[in-house]
Amino acid sequence: MSTESTTNLTKKDFKSNQDVRWCPGCGDYAILNAVQGAMAKLGKKREDVVFVSGIGCSSRFPYYMETYGFHSIHGRAPAIASGVKIANPKLDVWVITGDGDAMSIGGNHFIHALRRRINLKILMFNNRIYGLTKGQYSPTSELGKVTKSTPMGSLDTPFNPIHLALAAKASFVGRSVDMMGSHLEDVIMKAAAHEGSAYIEIFQNCNIFNDGAWKHITDRTVRDDMLIDLRHGEKLIFGKDHDKAIVLDGFDPKVVNVADVDEKDIPVWDVEANSTFAYLLAGNPEGKLPTPIGVFRDVKRPAFDVGVHDQIARARQKYGEGDLEQLLYAGDLWEVK
Amino acid sequence: MESDNKAARPVETLKQAIIRFAGDSGDGMQITGSQFTNTSAVFGNDLATFPDYPAEIRAPAGTIPGVSGFQVRFSSFDIHTPGDRPDVLVAMNPAALKVNIKDLKPNGIVIVNTDNFGKQDLVKAKYEVNPLEDSTLDGFRVVRVPLNMLTKETLKDSGLDPKVVMRCKNFFALGIVYWLFQRPMETTVDYLNLEFGKNKKRPEIAEANIAAMKAGYNFADISGLFQVSYEVPRAKLTPGTYRNIQGNMAVGLGLLAASKLCGLPLFLGSYPITPASDILHQLSAYKNHGVITFQAEDEIAAICASIGASYAGNFAVTTTSGPGMALKSEALNLAIMTELPLVVVNVQRGGPSTGLPTKTEQSDLLQMMFGRNGDSPVPIIAASTSSDAFDCAIEASRLALKYMTPVILLTDGYIANGAEPWRLPKISDLPKIEVRQLESKDKEWYQPYLRDQHTLARPWAIPGTDLLQHRIGGLEKEDVTGNVSYDPANHQRMTNLRHEKVAGIAKDLPPFQLVQGQKGDQILVLGWGSTRGAITAAVESLREEGKSVAQAHLRYINPFSPALKEVLESFEHVLIPEMNMGQLAFLIQGKFAMKVHSYTKVTGLPFTTNEVIDKVHEILG
Ligand code: SF4
């Protein structure tokens, strides 16, 4: 598999000759940069990588990668990518999508790609707005959001994308932030190493239509206290001075001072554990908790595309290579002389 | 009972016979009819069948909506349709009698299961008076058989559950009909042993059905139910090896053949839908041929996965019916824009909306032609019989791969489920399909939209090939480079190129031939799709009458054969019978600015031969 191959390619080798056309200041630039960096570090061969996208600002992404790319139709990228991956499991198939593309028009394909555990890496740029169509609220916009299509505020409850991915049984669920380059690159590399359906939600800033959507938690000045990085095998400790922790009080996660609790009562994060804890953390009901980023879940399950070819190999073993003539000349035959 | 052996009774020879088996959905009429069909096929008759299913969801037992029918016509000469009116009707209950008796020929034989004509049964079929006791059946030869009782009696020592015993009564009835037409029973015995004995590991069920069938045969023989029995001699078919084939099965085999002929793995993305699902089931069983089937979450994902597989270098197909086609139209346009090979099979059914899922119709033609945004030409091929669907599937695949385009293959419910004898092709006679997927060394000249001079196809470079990395998508492409382009002149040029590429396929079609008659005849009956049998039989009969009638049947609907216009113009009248509101007629009139007679029918049932004959008489006056 190509994930094991090493090449001497650099980040630059993954840049295509196309001019990048997002609005100046858009968070997409940083994500592109992190993905290109990850590709080089992973030692990917460019010809073995396919980026498939839907429609939206983020979906322009494949044009800027010097790999194979398919800019498809709204919401359908996971379905197209599924076909690519099943047809040729040796390829590394990545889906680039946005909150409107994946959670709204493509919601069905999104959940089915995840539960089916096709070996796809789905990167969802979540800017909580429709950018390409110039500023309507999206399925991740907060309740009451005032936009062009909701002048008096939106009336619908947003999706929690991590909840959706966990419930759909994605075997890898991660989250990162456009401006946190090395963190993002790290989560991408972990997803790349995962065998199965991987989903990464990326907080992305649309500086034109929804500027500052994530600023209250991701800004350099507050992020240490507002975010907690979920790292496998490490305790749930956060804060600029590493002085705060999350502990479980029954079914309620709550924040405590490290100094106030017994060290052994602070849970150690386990990406392979039952996803209930991940679900509770991602919920963050009243904003009482820091927002988790990092890896929520990373469990081994057999990948669908591998299973498909496995069945073909088994059928060939059992019945021999299929013969067309035998198949045609079958059933009740009769001769006319 | 007096022994009155069969040799004592006369055997009458017939050129053909039509039998309709009718009963409740639970009575096994489809199996019974198929068995009679296979036996007759193996015997050497020409034949045609028409299974008429009720809606998918089982109606209450014994009611009129629950009636299931299977008509088989078998003959000693070449036939084209399952026939209009049966000679023999097997009616397992009053509802089946009520639905079908109006079609039975005068003096036809009706075999009724008298055990199912109780008070309740009559109420369910909405009969106020028992039709066995009033004048309903006057003018027919009525054969009364207490099927339940006789089957019970036959299997009383089998030790089987009474419910299971009752499920054997269709084979008792089949035995009676086998005697009536002097058919051997081996084919059915073998089938039962294989299906129940070997596959389902229920040899006791196989034995019970065989016993019931043989008892039925003997009962007909010794009871003197019939004054005569009949024989229908073998037909003189073209020499070769034959099997029976249904259209869905033929499509599946044709697609598999195409995959072998082009040397690429077959990928089918599909979503269950009546009446196309059989193709998905069939291809799912061909794993040892390297076939990949993917049951997607919806119709859209089904075609999208196929497009993805095509992009990755597989020979990709998606199968569906009308409502599914509606959902696939946006993605079909993506395949048109990205110029990827894809075969789209639409097994048409009655519409609009959910319509009549189990009934046949040809009403998706204009949807296939025009049902997408933008100017988006797509080649369309229509199969005309069950066995023709095999050749059409290969042809659709050839065009898709050669021209780098999606191609629509149209069949319909009638072709999908109807069976006919198929003279099997020699594998070595099947046309090779040339495909070229580029290699790294093609880097020298490669551009994603640099077209072949002759076919205007763009080159196929698949992921995994070093140095040919490129990006495609649904946005308008710049000519040659394939870069995104909003340039007005380029859009005009690319629209023209997409149009010319599909129109250019016309040069690649076999020469246009009339099925019967010649140019200059007074009237041409022009058809497409599954109306072929009825039209052929009608034109044959009209020509025997001495009428100046010709017949043409279209396989290629987009593009039309280049000769078509001139051929059509050589006739004083052109009659187009179709199972829709006049869609081919609309296309012909629009394209050639000529007047035609449109003859339409949308009852969910195919044309009868007589309907077409009458229409021609009416026009010729
Ligand atoms: S509209 Fe927003 S998301 Fe789209 S490119 Fe501009 S800044 Fe980025």
Side-chain angles (χ1 to χ4, degrees), chain A residues 23-38:
Chain A
C23 305
C26 174
D28 291 357
Y29 286 95
I31 303 173
L32 177 63
N33 191 50
V35 171
Q36 287 164 337

Side-chain angles (χ1 to χ4, degrees), chain B residues 187-234:
Chain B
T187 308
T188 300
V189 169
D190 290 348
Y191 161 80
L192 288 167
N193 280 329
L194 180 74
E195 180 64 18
F196 292 101
K198 191 146 169 269
N199 294 350
K200 296 201 176 128
K201 306 267 176 279
R202 300 287 306 271
E204 70 284 4
I205 307 269
E207 274 163 37
N209 279 309
I210 292 168
M213 176 171 70
K214 290 191 170 160
Y217 192 98
N218 293 334
F219 175 74
D221 190 12
I222 59 179
S223 66
L225 276 183
F226 305 97
Q227 299 309 310
V228 289
S229 68
Y230 301 97
E231 66 168 11
V232 177
R234 290 181 173 76

Side-chain angles (χ1 to χ4, degrees), chain B residues 249-552:
Chain B
M249 179 66 122
V251 168
L253 289 172
L255 293 170
L256 181 70
S259 143
K260 309 246 170 182
L261 293 166
C262 71
L264 298 177
L266 171 55
F267 181 104
L268 171 71
S270 191
Y271 184 77
I273 187 168
T274 304
S277 305
D278 289 340
I279 306 173
L280 169 63
H281 308 161
Q282 181 195 356
L283 290 178
S284 298
Y286 294 165
K287 291 194 171 38
N288 63 325
H289 293 262
V291 175
I292 300 172
T293 53
F294 178 62
Q295 181 179 320
E297 58 271 23
D298 57 31
E299 293 280 357
I300 297 171
I303 184 171
C304 283
S306 297
I307 290 171
S310 174
Y311 178 62
N314 278 186
F315 161 49
V317 178
T318 185
T319 49
T320 188
S321 186
M325 275 312 299
L327 287 164
K328 290 184 196 299
S329 58
E330 187 197 18
L332 186 53
N333 253 350
L334 178 67
I336 289 172
M337 199 66 158
T338 52
E339 305 194 30
L340 286 167
L342 176 71
V343 174
V344 181
V345 181
N346 176 1
V347 185
Q348 298 168 95
R349 67 191 218 186
S353 188
T354 311
L356 305 169
T358 56
K359 306 288 173 187
T360 195
E361 210 162 278
Q362 301 179 296
S363 47
D364 297 347
L365 180 61
L366 294 181
Q367 182 199 5
M368 300 304 96
M369 259 324 264
F370 304 119
R372 292 169 296 282
N373 65 306
D375 285 299
S376 53
V378 61
I380 302 170
I381 289 185
S384 58
T385 67
S386 302
S387 66
D388 184 49
F390 177 81
D391 298 324
C392 287
I394 295 179
E395 179 66 347
S397 312
R398 180 184 76 88
L399 295 178
L401 292 159
K402 179 168 177 183
Y403 291 88
M404 293 290 285
T405 176
V407 174
I408 293 172
L409 169 60
L410 283 174
T411 72
D412 61 31
Y414 178 71
I415 291 175
N417 295 316
E420 64 169 354
W422 177 32
R423 189 163 63 90
L424 289 163
K426 281 218 181 61
I427 305 293
S428 54
D429 288 350
L430 297 175
K432 262 245 160 314
I433 299 177
E434 299 290 343
V435 174
R436 174 133 194 258
Q437 291 178 340
L438 302 191
E439 295 163 39
S440 300
K441 65 173 166 34
D442 295 308
K443 169 73 184 162
E444 312 254 310
W445 60 267
Y446 175 70
Q447 299 258 36
Y449 278 74
L450 183 61
R451 292 168 193 280
D452 178 280
Q453 294 292 311
H454 298 289
T455 60
L456 298 182
R458 74 177 191 92
W460 199 4
I462 66 168
T465 317
D466 193 16
L467 306 177
L468 301 186
Q469 291 89 265
H470 65 279
R471 274 66 55 192
I472 57 170
L475 285 170
E476 181 61 287
K477 300 278 156 290
E478 186 179 66
D479 192 13
V480 181
T481 67
N483 290 335
V484 174
S485 166
Y486 294 146
D487 177 58
N490 178 74
H491 179 54
Q492 178 77 56
R493 187 157 63 244
M494 291 300 275
T495 303
N496 293 350
L497 279 167
R498 284 187 288 268
H499 176 82
E500 282 162 27
K501 180 171 88 165
V502 172
I505 291 175
K507 291 180 287 194
D508 197 0
L509 305 184
F512 189 83
Q513 278 177 329
L514 292 172
V515 183
Q516 298 183 67
Q518 46 273 313
K519 279 205 255 178
D521 275 337
Q522 203 180 356
I523 181 167
L524 174 77
V525 187
L526 176 68
W528 68 279
S530 71
T531 52
R532 179 167 184 142
I535 296 175
T536 305
V539 173
E540 267 174 13
S541 149
L542 287 159
R543 290 177 63 82
E544 272 166 34
E545 267 178 53
K547 295 271 187 275
S548 169
V549 186
Q551 178 193 3

Side-chain angles (χ1 to χ4, degrees), chain A:
Chain A
M1 190 134 300
S2 49
T3 39
E4 285 147 26
S5 65
T6 43
T7 60
N8 296 322
L9 299 178
T10 63
K11 195 186 220 174
K12 228 179 113 225
D13 294 314
F14 284 92
K15 293 191 193 320
S16 78
N17 61 1
Q18 303 286 305
D19 295 335
V20 184
R21 289 200 194 128
W22 285 306
C23 305
C26 174
D28 291 357
Y29 286 95
I31 303 173
L32 177 63
N33 191 50
V35 171
Q36 287 164 337
M39 290 289 139
K41 278 195 190 153
L42 286 160
K44 297 278 183 205
K45 288 191 194 156
R46 292 179 298 195
E47 67 271 23
D48 289 342
V49 180
V50 184
F51 277 88
V52 183
S53 63
I55 293 292
C57 291
S58 60
S59 288
R60 294 299 182 94
F61 194 96
Y63 293 118
Y64 311 135
M65 294 294 299
E66 187 48 37
T67 61
Y68 282 89
F70 201 147
H71 177 205
S72 75
I73 44 178
H74 207 6
R76 318 301 171 203
I80 290 171
S82 296
V84 174
K85 184 68 188 176
I86 297 166
N88 185 358
K90 289 199 196 87
L91 299 171
D92 243 301
V93 186
W94 296 73
V95 171
I96 304 292
T97 181
D99 41 314
D101 195 55
M103 314 258 101
S104 202
I105 193 166
N108 200 31
H109 309 307
F110 175 76
I111 55 174
H112 284 277
L114 294 183
R115 64 108 185 151
R116 206 176 262 135
R117 43 165 225 279
I118 295 191
N119 201 338
L120 301 175
K121 317 298 170 215
I122 303 177
L123 310 187
M124 189 187 90
F125 302 7
N126 185 3
N127 55 21
R128 314 189 83 176
I129 199 82
Y130 281 89
L132 192 69
T133 49
K134 305 199 188 310
Q136 302 80 12
Y137 79 113
S138 91
T140 58
S141 296
E142 57 280 19
L143 180 66
K145 178 90 174 168
V146 174
T147 70
K148 285 180 190 156
S149 58
T150 50
M152 293 174 70
S154 70
L155 295 168
D156 32 347
T157 309
F159 268 132
N160 178 323
I162 299 294
H163 279 178
L164 197 57
L166 289 171
K169 300 279 185 228
S171 45
F172 180 101
V173 179
R175 183 192 265 160
S176 190
V177 181
D178 53 2
M179 295 317 287
M180 294 171 64
S182 60
H183 184 269
L184 176 57
E185 200 179 278
D186 180 57
V187 177
I188 289 171
M189 293 193 40
K190 285 186 174 131
H194 174 81
E195 284 279 322
S197 50
Y199 169 68
I200 305 177
E201 177 191 8
I202 304 170
F203 292 161
Q204 177 241 327
N205 191 39
C206 168
N207 54 312
I208 303 296
F209 295 107
N210 201 16
D211 195 23
W214 303 109
K215 197 166 188 268
H216 60 293
I217 49 174
T218 61
D219 192 80
R220 245 169 242 289
T221 57
V222 297
R223 68 165 74 132
D224 288 340
D225 292 316
M226 299 304 283
L227 299 177
I228 179 166
D229 191 14
L230 304 177
R231 305 182 75 88
H232 184 63
E234 290 183 17
K235 286 183 179 291
L236 295 181
I237 292 176
F238 68 103
K240 195 154 60 205
D241 304 319
H242 299 278
D243 57 345
K244 284 180 273 187
I246 295 177
V247 296
L248 265 184
D249 180 6
F251 284 117
D252 272 336
K254 63 173 192 189
V255 173
V256 294
N257 289 317
V258 172
D260 296 345
V261 289
D262 192 336
E263 176 93 20
K264 71 175 189 330
D265 289 338
I266 304 175
V268 173
W269 190 241
D270 181 358
V271 292
E272 289 167 16
N274 177 312
S275 58
T276 310
F277 198 6
Y279 196 88
L280 289 175
L281 286 186
N284 190 15
E286 286 109 52
K288 292 185 305 196
L289 300 178
T291 299
I293 59 172
V295 180
F296 291 81
R297 178 174 162 82
D298 184 355
V299 294
K300 250 196 138 42
R301 289 193 299 159
F304 178 95
D305 41 294
V306 175
V308 167
H309 290 273
D310 213 50
Q311 286 193 345
I312 288 175
R314 271 169 30 215
R316 280 180 158 144
Q317 209 167 42
K318 192 162 170 203
Y319 305 109
E321 177 66 39
D323 179 74
L324 180 62
E325 181 150 14
Q326 252 177 37
L327 207 56
L328 287 190
Y329 287 73
D332 295 325
L333 298 179
W334 68 97
E335 291 292 333
V336 174
K337 300 229 165 60

Side-chain angles (χ1 to χ4, degrees), chain B residues 165-194:
Chain B
V165 167
M166 268 305 98
R167 266 189 239 127
C168 298
K169 63 178 186 289
N170 57 324
F171 278 89
F172 196 100
L174 180 62
I176 294 176
V177 182
Y178 274 157
W179 182 86
L180 183 61
F181 288 96
Q182 299 294 312
R183 303 265 111 160
M185 289 182 281
E186 284 79 47
T187 308
T188 300
V189 169
D190 290 348
Y191 161 80
L192 288 167
N193 280 329
L194 180 74

